[in-house]
Amino acid sequence: GADEAAADITRDARAFTGAIRNRIFMFLRGVVNGDFEQALAAVHRSATISEGEAVAVPEAIEPAWTAKRLEEALEAYNAGHEFLCFDPNARNARHTYVVPSEDHRHWRVQQMLVDPEGHNDWVAEFEVDLPQSRAIGEPILRLTRMGPLA
């Protein structure tokens, strides 16, 4: 029991949120660089428990995110924005919003997409699976939406 609690990555909400933000910025780095496969790999991936038991990471909410779909989302973003910022201001914690679910099994994370004009009217939204994250010791995210702020 004590060992499990100590190994629970979600127990320290601040550290876990930091790990989630790091994963999101890996995603955004891929988007900014036009490497959409890399971007999706940062958030949609299978994982393995250290003992070798496979953990099935659920598929993204339909329709599935593909490199092509992500590229199209970025094109739609670029139609109304000069570019997507990835500077220290864009990576500031004030642009990341975490909303725990009532069932305590998921977090919804909304990452503001910062533009040079300061409109900040687009977001990337993710769902964090807490049981899966606990099982493998790292955040398990799924991109659920990338689009205008709703």
Side-chain angles (χ1 to χ4, degrees), residues 109-141:
V109 181
Q110 190 177 66
Q111 178 64 47
M112 182 69 56
L113 301 182
V114 177
D115 60 274
E117 298 85 16
H119 300 299
N120 302 343
D121 56 355
W122 269 59
V123 295
E125 292 181 350
F126 303 87
E127 182 179 271
V128 180
D129 186 313
L130 298 179
Q132 293 271 337
S133 297
R134 282 185 202 102
I136 66 162
E138 64 181 77
I140 296 296
L141 287 81

mmCIF file of all heavy atoms in Angstrom, residues 109-141:
data_model
loop_
_atom_site.group_PDB
_atom_site.id
_atom_site.type_symbol
_atom_site.label_atom_id
_atom_site.label_comp_id
_atom_site.label_asym_id
_atom_site.label_seq_id
_atom_site.Cartn_x
_atom_site.Cartn_y
_atom_site.Cartn_z
ATOM 1 N N VAL A 109 -7.624 18.988 -19.875
ATOM 2 C CA VAL A 109 -6.600 20.024 -19.904
ATOM 3 C C VAL A 109 -6.784 20.828 -21.174
ATOM 4 O O VAL A 109 -6.874 20.280 -22.270
ATOM 5 C CB VAL A 109 -5.179 19.425 -19.856
ATOM 6 C CG1 VAL A 109 -4.135 20.529 -19.874
ATOM 7 C CG2 VAL A 109 -5.010 18.537 -18.627
ATOM 8 N N GLN A 110 -6.853 22.130 -20.992
ATOM 9 C CA GLN A 110 -7.018 23.055 -22.118
ATOM 10 C C GLN A 110 -5.749 23.903 -22.201
ATOM 11 O O GLN A 110 -5.396 24.585 -21.246
ATOM 12 C CB GLN A 110 -8.245 23.930 -21.893
ATOM 13 C CG GLN A 110 -8.638 24.750 -23.089
ATOM 14 C CD GLN A 110 -9.907 25.537 -22.788
ATOM 15 O OE1 GLN A 110 -9.899 26.421 -21.936
ATOM 16 N NE2 GLN A 110 -10.986 25.198 -23.476
ATOM 17 N N GLN A 111 -5.064 23.801 -23.339
ATOM 18 C CA GLN A 111 -3.849 24.573 -23.565
ATOM 19 C C GLN A 111 -4.161 25.689 -24.556
ATOM 20 O O GLN A 111 -4.526 25.424 -25.697
ATOM 21 C CB GLN A 111 -2.728 23.682 -24.124
ATOM 22 C CG GLN A 111 -1.453 24.416 -24.442
ATOM 23 C CD GLN A 111 -0.811 25.006 -23.193
ATOM 24 O OE1 GLN A 111 -0.682 24.328 -22.189
ATOM 25 N NE2 GLN A 111 -0.428 26.270 -23.255
ATOM 26 N N MET A 112 -4.031 26.923 -24.086
ATOM 27 C CA MET A 112 -4.237 28.080 -24.960
ATOM 28 C C MET A 112 -3.145 28.105 -26.014
ATOM 29 O O MET A 112 -1.970 27.917 -25.702
ATOM 30 C CB MET A 112 -4.176 29.365 -24.120
ATOM 31 C CG MET A 112 -4.430 30.628 -24.890
ATOM 32 S SD MET A 112 -6.134 30.770 -25.434
ATOM 33 C CE MET A 112 -7.022 30.638 -23.898
ATOM 34 N N LEU A 113 -3.536 28.300 -27.267
ATOM 35 C CA LEU A 113 -2.567 28.456 -28.351
ATOM 36 C C LEU A 113 -2.311 29.952 -28.502
ATOM 37 O O LEU A 113 -3.201 30.709 -28.891
ATOM 38 C CB LEU A 113 -3.100 27.838 -29.644
ATOM 39 C CG LEU A 113 -3.438 26.344 -29.557
ATOM 40 C CD1 LEU A 113 -3.918 25.837 -30.906
ATOM 41 C CD2 LEU A 113 -2.256 25.530 -29.043
ATOM 42 N N VAL A 114 -1.111 30.357 -28.169
ATOM 43 C CA VAL A 114 -0.758 31.772 -28.120
ATOM 44 C C VAL A 114 -0.306 32.233 -29.501
ATOM 45 O O VAL A 114 0.522 31.596 -30.148
ATOM 46 C CB VAL A 114 0.347 32.021 -27.072
ATOM 47 C CG1 VAL A 114 0.775 33.473 -27.049
ATOM 48 C CG2 VAL A 114 -0.151 31.580 -25.683
ATOM 49 N N ASP A 115 -0.884 33.361 -29.937
ATOM 50 C CA ASP A 115 -0.530 33.941 -31.228
ATOM 51 C C ASP A 115 0.140 35.293 -31.003
ATOM 52 O O ASP A 115 -0.057 35.923 -29.970
ATOM 53 C CB ASP A 115 -1.772 34.076 -32.123
ATOM 54 C CG ASP A 115 -2.826 34.956 -31.501
ATOM 55 O OD1 ASP A 115 -3.635 34.442 -30.711
ATOM 56 O OD2 ASP A 115 -2.846 36.165 -31.801
ATOM 57 N N PRO A 116 0.945 35.752 -31.965
ATOM 58 C CA PRO A 116 1.677 37.018 -31.767
ATOM 59 C C PRO A 116 0.773 38.238 -31.642
ATOM 60 O O PRO A 116 1.177 39.248 -31.065
ATOM 61 C CB PRO A 116 2.581 37.118 -32.989
ATOM 62 C CG PRO A 116 2.027 36.182 -33.990
ATOM 63 C CD PRO A 116 1.264 35.126 -33.238
ATOM 64 N N GLU A 117 -0.442 38.151 -32.155
ATOM 65 C CA GLU A 117 -1.365 39.280 -32.063
ATOM 66 C C GLU A 117 -2.010 39.372 -30.682
ATOM 67 O O GLU A 117 -2.650 40.369 -30.351
ATOM 68 C CB GLU A 117 -2.471 39.178 -33.127
ATOM 69 C CG GLU A 117 -1.966 39.203 -34.559
ATOM 70 C CD GLU A 117 -1.537 37.830 -35.077
ATOM 71 O OE1 GLU A 117 -1.888 36.786 -34.458
ATOM 72 O OE2 GLU A 117 -0.823 37.781 -36.082
ATOM 73 N N GLY A 118 -1.887 38.305 -29.885
ATOM 74 C CA GLY A 118 -2.452 38.291 -28.545
ATOM 75 C C GLY A 118 -3.932 37.973 -28.494
ATOM 76 O O GLY A 118 -4.572 38.166 -27.462
ATOM 77 N N HIS A 119 -4.497 37.443 -29.588
ATOM 78 C CA HIS A 119 -5.918 37.062 -29.566
ATOM 79 C C HIS A 119 -6.141 35.841 -28.678
ATOM 80 O O HIS A 119 -7.153 35.760 -27.995
ATOM 81 C CB HIS A 119 -6.432 36.786 -30.982
ATOM 82 C CG HIS A 119 -6.333 37.952 -31.904
ATOM 83 N ND1 HIS A 119 -6.987 39.143 -31.676
ATOM 84 C CD2 HIS A 119 -5.634 38.121 -33.047
ATOM 85 C CE1 HIS A 119 -6.715 39.996 -32.638
ATOM 86 N NE2 HIS A 119 -5.889 39.401 -33.484
ATOM 87 N N ASN A 120 -5.222 34.891 -28.774
ATOM 88 C CA ASN A 120 -5.284 33.670 -27.955
ATOM 89 C C ASN A 120 -6.695 33.091 -27.950
ATOM 90 O O ASN A 120 -7.280 32.816 -26.895
ATOM 91 C CB ASN A 120 -4.796 33.953 -26.540
ATOM 92 C CG ASN A 120 -3.380 34.482 -26.517
ATOM 93 O OD1 ASN A 120 -2.643 34.370 -27.484
ATOM 94 N ND2 ASN A 120 -2.993 35.080 -25.417
ATOM 95 N N ASP A 121 -7.212 32.878 -29.145
ATOM 96 C CA ASP A 121 -8.595 32.435 -29.308
ATOM 97 C C ASP A 121 -8.716 30.997 -29.813
ATOM 98 O O ASP A 121 -9.780 30.585 -30.252
ATOM 99 C CB ASP A 121 -9.335 33.389 -30.247
ATOM 100 C CG ASP A 121 -8.665 33.555 -31.600
ATOM 101 O OD1 ASP A 121 -7.554 33.009 -31.805
ATOM 102 O OD2 ASP A 121 -9.236 34.246 -32.464
ATOM 103 N N TRP A 122 -7.622 30.233 -29.730
ATOM 104 C CA TRP A 122 -7.634 28.820 -30.091
ATOM 105 C C TRP A 122 -7.059 28.018 -28.941
ATOM 106 O O TRP A 122 -6.225 28.521 -28.170
ATOM 107 C CB TRP A 122 -6.789 28.575 -31.338
ATOM 108 C CG TRP A 122 -7.542 28.672 -32.623
ATOM 109 C CD1 TRP A 122 -8.237 29.746 -33.092
ATOM 110 C CD2 TRP A 122 -7.666 27.661 -33.616
ATOM 111 N NE1 TRP A 122 -8.780 29.463 -34.310
ATOM 112 C CE2 TRP A 122 -8.441 28.190 -34.668
ATOM 113 C CE3 TRP A 122 -7.191 26.363 -33.735
ATOM 114 C CZ2 TRP A 122 -8.760 27.461 -35.797
ATOM 115 C CZ3 TRP A 122 -7.499 25.642 -34.863
ATOM 116 C CH2 TRP A 122 -8.282 26.191 -35.883
ATOM 117 N N VAL A 123 -7.489 26.763 -28.820
ATOM 118 C CA VAL A 123 -7.004 25.872 -27.776
ATOM 119 C C VAL A 123 -6.752 24.473 -28.329
ATOM 120 O O VAL A 123 -7.320 24.088 -29.349
ATOM 121 C CB VAL A 123 -8.002 25.755 -26.597
ATOM 122 C CG1 VAL A 123 -8.153 27.074 -25.866
ATOM 123 C CG2 VAL A 123 -9.341 25.237 -27.067
ATOM 124 N N ALA A 124 -5.891 23.775 -27.632
ATOM 125 C CA ALA A 124 -5.752 22.334 -27.814
ATOM 126 C C ALA A 124 -6.262 21.730 -26.513
ATOM 127 O O ALA A 124 -5.858 22.165 -25.423
ATOM 128 C CB ALA A 124 -4.306 21.942 -28.072
ATOM 129 N N GLU A 125 -7.181 20.775 -26.622
ATOM 130 C CA GLU A 125 -7.756 20.153 -25.429
ATOM 131 C C GLU A 125 -7.352 18.691 -25.378
ATOM 132 O O GLU A 125 -7.330 17.999 -26.403
ATOM 133 C CB GLU A 125 -9.273 20.285 -25.424
ATOM 134 C CG GLU A 125 -9.735 21.710 -25.246
ATOM 135 C CD GLU A 125 -11.243 21.866 -25.213
ATOM 136 O OE1 GLU A 125 -11.971 20.898 -25.522
ATOM 137 O OE2 GLU A 125 -11.693 22.976 -24.880
ATOM 138 N N PHE A 126 -7.071 18.253 -24.169
ATOM 139 C CA PHE A 126 -6.608 16.892 -23.932
ATOM 140 C C PHE A 126 -7.405 16.285 -22.791
ATOM 141 O O PHE A 126 -7.891 16.992 -21.908
ATOM 142 C CB PHE A 126 -5.131 16.899 -23.529
ATOM 143 C CG PHE A 126 -4.239 17.556 -24.538
ATOM 144 C CD1 PHE A 126 -4.015 18.920 -24.500
ATOM 145 C CD2 PHE A 126 -3.624 16.805 -25.523
ATOM 146 C CE1 PHE A 126 -3.198 19.547 -25.425
ATOM 147 C CE2 PHE A 126 -2.813 17.421 -26.450
ATOM 148 C CZ PHE A 126 -2.593 18.789 -26.413
ATOM 149 N N GLU A 127 -7.496 14.974 -22.803
ATOM 150 C CA GLU A 127 -8.041 14.230 -21.677
ATOM 151 C C GLU A 127 -6.889 13.422 -21.092
ATOM 152 O O GLU A 127 -6.150 12.772 -21.825
ATOM 153 C CB GLU A 127 -9.155 13.299 -22.128
ATOM 154 C CG GLU A 127 -9.775 12.547 -20.975
ATOM 155 C CD GLU A 127 -10.898 11.638 -21.429
ATOM 156 O OE1 GLU A 127 -12.041 12.115 -21.483
ATOM 157 O OE2 GLU A 127 -10.614 10.459 -21.730
ATOM 158 N N VAL A 128 -6.739 13.501 -19.782
ATOM 159 C CA VAL A 128 -5.701 12.755 -19.077
ATOM 160 C C VAL A 128 -6.370 11.606 -18.342
ATOM 161 O O VAL A 128 -7.303 11.818 -17.569
ATOM 162 C CB VAL A 128 -4.951 13.657 -18.071
ATOM 163 C CG1 VAL A 128 -3.866 12.867 -17.347
ATOM 164 C CG2 VAL A 128 -4.372 14.879 -18.774
ATOM 165 N N ASP A 129 -5.915 10.405 -18.600
ATOM 166 C CA ASP A 129 -6.453 9.206 -17.967
ATOM 167 C C ASP A 129 -5.644 8.929 -16.694
ATOM 168 O O ASP A 129 -4.486 8.509 -16.767
ATOM 169 C CB ASP A 129 -6.362 8.033 -18.942
ATOM 170 C CG ASP A 129 -7.040 6.783 -18.428
ATOM 171 O OD1 ASP A 129 -6.818 6.414 -17.255
ATOM 172 O OD2 ASP A 129 -7.780 6.165 -19.205
ATOM 173 N N LEU A 130 -6.241 9.196 -15.536
ATOM 174 C CA LEU A 130 -5.524 9.061 -14.273
ATOM 175 C C LEU A 130 -5.170 7.611 -13.930
ATOM 176 O O LEU A 130 -4.025 7.342 -13.553
ATOM 177 C CB LEU A 130 -6.315 9.720 -13.140
ATOM 178 C CG LEU A 130 -6.536 11.224 -13.302
ATOM 179 C CD1 LEU A 130 -7.359 11.760 -12.136
ATOM 180 C CD2 LEU A 130 -5.241 11.975 -13.442
ATOM 181 N N PRO A 131 -6.102 6.630 -14.044
ATOM 182 C CA PRO A 131 -5.720 5.247 -13.741
ATOM 183 C C PRO A 131 -4.587 4.737 -14.641
ATOM 184 O O PRO A 131 -3.666 4.072 -14.163
ATOM 185 C CB PRO A 131 -7.013 4.453 -13.962
ATOM 186 C CG PRO A 131 -8.110 5.448 -13.754
ATOM 187 C CD PRO A 131 -7.555 6.745 -14.283
ATOM 188 N N GLN A 132 -4.654 5.051 -15.931
ATOM 189 C CA GLN A 132 -3.590 4.622 -16.839
ATOM 190 C C GLN A 132 -2.268 5.299 -16.477
ATOM 191 O O GLN A 132 -1.215 4.677 -16.513
ATOM 192 C CB GLN A 132 -3.965 4.959 -18.288
ATOM 193 C CG GLN A 132 -5.130 4.191 -18.821
ATOM 194 C CD GLN A 132 -4.711 2.887 -19.457
ATOM 195 O OE1 GLN A 132 -3.573 2.735 -19.874
ATOM 196 N NE2 GLN A 132 -5.628 1.950 -19.541
ATOM 197 N N SER A 133 -2.347 6.572 -16.135
ATOM 198 C CA SER A 133 -1.136 7.313 -15.759
ATOM 199 C C SER A 133 -0.505 6.706 -14.504
ATOM 200 O O SER A 133 0.723 6.570 -14.431
ATOM 201 C CB SER A 133 -1.472 8.786 -15.521
ATOM 202 O OG SER A 133 -1.952 9.400 -16.700
ATOM 203 N N ARG A 134 -1.335 6.347 -13.535
ATOM 204 C CA ARG A 134 -0.822 5.699 -12.326
ATOM 205 C C ARG A 134 -0.158 4.366 -12.664
ATOM 206 O O ARG A 134 0.885 4.023 -12.112
ATOM 207 C CB ARG A 134 -1.955 5.437 -11.336
ATOM 208 C CG ARG A 134 -2.401 6.626 -10.567
ATOM 209 C CD ARG A 134 -3.454 6.246 -9.509
ATOM 210 N NE ARG A 134 -4.197 7.428 -9.170
ATOM 211 C CZ ARG A 134 -5.415 7.721 -9.606
ATOM 212 N NH1 ARG A 134 -6.074 6.874 -10.373
ATOM 213 N NH2 ARG A 134 -6.002 8.841 -9.255
ATOM 214 N N ALA A 135 -0.777 3.620 -13.566
ATOM 215 C CA ALA A 135 -0.296 2.281 -13.889
ATOM 216 C C ALA A 135 1.093 2.297 -14.509
ATOM 217 O O ALA A 135 1.897 1.403 -14.239
ATOM 218 C CB ALA A 135 -1.282 1.584 -14.835
ATOM 219 N N ILE A 136 1.388 3.303 -15.316
ATOM 220 C CA ILE A 136 2.691 3.300 -15.989
ATOM 221 C C ILE A 136 3.653 4.359 -15.468
ATOM 222 O O ILE A 136 4.816 4.391 -15.871
ATOM 223 C CB ILE A 136 2.556 3.438 -17.512
ATOM 224 C CG1 ILE A 136 2.000 4.790 -17.888
ATOM 225 C CG2 ILE A 136 1.744 2.310 -18.095
ATOM 226 C CD1 ILE A 136 2.250 5.127 -19.331
ATOM 227 N N GLY A 137 3.173 5.237 -14.599
ATOM 228 C CA GLY A 137 4.054 6.224 -13.995
ATOM 229 C C GLY A 137 4.385 7.417 -14.858
ATOM 230 O O GLY A 137 5.405 8.071 -14.651
ATOM 231 N N GLU A 138 3.536 7.706 -15.812
ATOM 232 C CA GLU A 138 3.693 8.909 -16.637
ATOM 233 C C GLU A 138 2.334 9.322 -17.177
ATOM 234 O O GLU A 138 1.429 8.496 -17.253
ATOM 235 C CB GLU A 138 4.684 8.702 -17.773
ATOM 236 C CG GLU A 138 4.265 7.671 -18.791
ATOM 237 C CD GLU A 138 5.311 7.489 -19.873
ATOM 238 O OE1 GLU A 138 6.326 6.829 -19.604
ATOM 239 O OE2 GLU A 138 5.101 8.003 -20.981
ATOM 240 N N PRO A 139 2.184 10.604 -17.529
ATOM 241 C CA PRO A 139 0.868 11.055 -17.998
ATOM 242 C C PRO A 139 0.449 10.383 -19.305
ATOM 243 O O PRO A 139 1.248 10.272 -20.228
ATOM 244 C CB PRO A 139 1.051 12.556 -18.239
ATOM 245 C CG PRO A 139 2.312 12.923 -17.552
ATOM 246 C CD PRO A 139 3.151 11.683 -17.496
ATOM 247 N N ILE A 140 -0.789 9.947 -19.335
ATOM 248 C CA ILE A 140 -1.385 9.402 -20.554
ATOM 249 C C ILE A 140 -2.432 10.416 -21.006
ATOM 250 O O ILE A 140 -3.430 10.634 -20.329
ATOM 251 C CB ILE A 140 -2.038 8.025 -20.312
ATOM 252 C CG1 ILE A 140 -0.978 7.008 -19.907
ATOM 253 C CG2 ILE A 140 -2.805 7.567 -21.546
ATOM 254 C CD1 ILE A 140 0.060 6.724 -20.979
ATOM 255 N N LEU A 141 -2.161 11.046 -22.148
ATOM 256 C CA LEU A 141 -3.037 12.079 -22.687
ATOM 257 C C LEU A 141 -3.613 11.639 -24.015
ATOM 258 O O LEU A 141 -2.984 10.874 -24.748
ATOM 259 C CB LEU A 141 -2.260 13.379 -22.951
ATOM 260 C CG LEU A 141 -1.822 14.206 -21.773
ATOM 261 C CD1 LEU A 141 -0.564 13.640 -21.161
ATOM 262 C CD2 LEU A 141 -1.550 15.609 -22.240
#
